[in-house]
Structures are given as structure tokens and as C-alpha cells.
Amino acid sequence: MDVSWEEFGWERLGNGTGRRRLPVWDATVALVAGADGVLLYDTGSTLREGVELRTQAEALLGRRVTHIALSHPHFDHVLGTAAFSGAEVYGAVGTADLLARGAEELRADALRHGMSEADATVATDALVSPRHQVTGEWTLDLGDGFQVLLANVGPGHSGHDLAVLVPGSPVVVLCGDLVEESGEPQAGRDAVPTHWPAALDRLLELGGEDALYVPGHGAVVDAAFVRAQRDRLAVRFGVS
């Protein structure tokens, strides 16, 4: 039986790409399907969410996720990674070291945001660090010449922000929490505010005026929204 993306709450974006806004923290995850490979951008906030995403991906595409790109090392975007055994995991350079030594901090952050102790403990005990670290840009071939670009555009929202550019018409840019639509961008202890506007400039250079920009939280936006948010951040943090 064919299963539609909409049945599982996914929004189709074209170019073999779809995204879903997860419950509770409204974090976005995205799937990019090529002829041979399937890339998942972020993995959810718990191991249970990761398992659900794996099940949905296999039902929708008829095959397993082969690659994972982590937008940044915050609990609501990375704690489901262990559900994807065998997938190659990518993150901005420094993410692997941070996750390897920071499981307890992630657990504490998840608990502060209201996650149950059982979910937080199980997910952080199984925490997976990226094997592949992206310093600048990394081209990933998902089959038949369909290449997506992983771009280390940060720091900004965190010290390790990784975006993904999906070519096509329209171009799709997966932004992580560098862009937020459902509220003002959150600047936590690991944010680098003075570099954040420059990270958004880089996103706009990558995607161009006609791209779809997919924020870490909220609805899909356009270049004008990203530019306006960039300008507000520059004023907020006193940078040009």
C-alpha cells in the first residue's frame, strides 16, 4: 500500500525533499532522497522520535536512511541519531568532540526543557557523534549525479552550524536554527552572536533569491525573511 508524505505529517518541498515539524519543541527534520542514498537532516529530540523517523522514512521511500547531517549539537536536533544504525553521520567540525564529552550537558538541557528523565537518559546514553566533520563544504552524491552540499556556515546560533543546499527548482536550503520563523532566534550560552549575521549572509549566497529556506523551527520562508532576520540580529547584537 502506498503511503503519502502528508499521512505522516511531512511537507513536500520538491527535489526529492520533504520536511516534518516535530511535536513539543517544533524542531524541523528533513529527508533528501536520491537514486541511491537518503539524507536525513537532524534526528529528533529522543531515541523514540528517531525510531519513528526511521520507520517513516522506510515506509515513504522503501529504503533506509544512509546519511545524516546534524544542523548543530542541541538536544532537540541530535538525540535520535542512534536509531539509524549504519548511517554515515556528518556535522560541522568540532561537533564530534563536543558531543563525545558533552552527553551530560545535553541531558541536563533536555531535562530543563521538560523532557522526561527516562527519555533523556536513554538518548544520551546512546549518543552518536559524527564520524565525518565538515570544515568548509562537503559535496555528497546521493546517486545519478544528484549532489547536495553540506556547508559549515557558522558559528552563529551555536559554535557548530551546518546547512544543507539541495539543488533543483527551487533550490532548498536547510538552515537549522540559524533561521527561526516561529519565534525570535534563540541565543544560548554557545551562540556566537557577532558571527550570526555573517552566517545568514552565507546562507543567502548559497541559496539565492528564489530558494526555499527551511528554518530549524517554523514555516518555510523566503530570502526576504532571512535578510530581514539577519538585519534584526545585527541590530540586536550590535554588529554590521
Side-chain angles (χ1 to χ4, degrees), residues 111-161:
L111 292 173
R112 280 194 299 271
H113 283 82
M115 186 183 294
S116 74
E117 185 169 357
D119 279 343
T121 299
V122 167
T124 52
D125 282 351
L127 189 63
V128 173
S129 296
R131 176 184 174 194
H132 306 286
Q133 300 198 68
V134 182
T135 302
E137 297 179 353
W138 190 310
T139 300
L140 197 61
D141 194 325
L142 297 181
D144 288 349
F146 180 47
Q147 297 182 332
V148 298
L149 182 70
L150 279 56
N152 183 345
V153 297
H157 172 72
S158 77
H160 313 87
D161 294 303

Side-chain angles (χ1 to χ4, degrees), residues 48-90:
R48 286 187 297 104
E49 271 191 344
V51 170
E52 180 182 359
L53 291 169
R54 183 193 68 205
T55 301
Q56 290 183 355
E58 292 173 0
L60 291 168
L61 302 173
R63 48 207 170 100
R64 301 179 67 179
V65 169
T66 56
H67 301 80
I68 289 170
L70 300 177
S71 65
H72 63 290
H74 288 170
F75 82 91
D76 50 333
H77 297 265
V78 305
L79 288 185
T81 307
F84 298 89
S85 176
E88 296 290 338
V89 184
Y90 298 75

